[in-house]
Amino acid sequence: MGFAQRFDHVGITVADLDTVTAFFVSLGLEADQKMAIEGEFLDTVIGMTGAATEIVMLRLPGGGTTLELSSFTRPQHLPGSPSAPANELGLRNVAFQVENLQAAVDHAAAAGYGLVGGIGEYEGVWRMAYVRGPEGIIVSLAEHIQK
């Protein structure tokens, strides 16, 4: 018997909340209103005193697991590794299934976000590409190949 009941969200800390939110909205996610959070709850959960953050929750149309973007106003965020390769330890990518991989890749490229590598095909079933989005976030886009 396990403790987990359902997958709720993935959280990513970012410096520019508006830019990163706009990127994910352009991929088709829907954003809730920006919320400011501070006080005892936040301090207790993250183990810091006097912290403050703004968050935006994003989800695909129809619901499901959410993506939480958080930008700290106190204390200042620490630099990450925006050009980290795919084999660096830690959370490395957020993945979405798309209907048209090439169109999604072209859309990201038009906004200035290029491929990490190339578009690969797995056993005639999936086509996938990694796009390096804002602040170095790797977004995996995968298309199921219809037969």
Side-chain angles (χ1 to χ4, degrees), residues 14-110:
V14 301
D16 186 337
L17 187 58
D18 293 335
T19 296
V20 180
T21 298
F23 171 76
F24 283 106
V25 167
S26 80
L27 291 177
L29 280 74
E30 297 173 343
D32 291 347
Q33 292 294 322
K34 188 185 304 184
M35 299 185 321
I37 300 175
E38 61 182 304
E40 183 180 345
F41 167 76
L42 180 63
D43 291 353
T44 298
V45 171
I46 68 170
M48 295 180 174
T49 302
T53 187
E54 292 184 316
I55 68 167
V56 172
M57 301 301 284
L58 298 118
R59 68 187 44 77
L60 291 169
T65 302
T66 56
L67 178 64
E68 175 193 79
L69 301 179
S70 175
S71 183
F72 280 82
T73 53
R74 283 191 321 264
Q76 284 285 32
H77 64 272
L78 299 175
S81 301
S83 59
N87 66 337
E88 182 175 296
L89 297 178
L91 178 64
R92 196 51 33 227
N93 72 77
V94 177
F96 298 99
Q97 184 174 340
V98 297
E99 186 174 343
N100 183 328
L101 178 61
Q102 189 62 57
V105 167
D106 292 346
H107 173 79

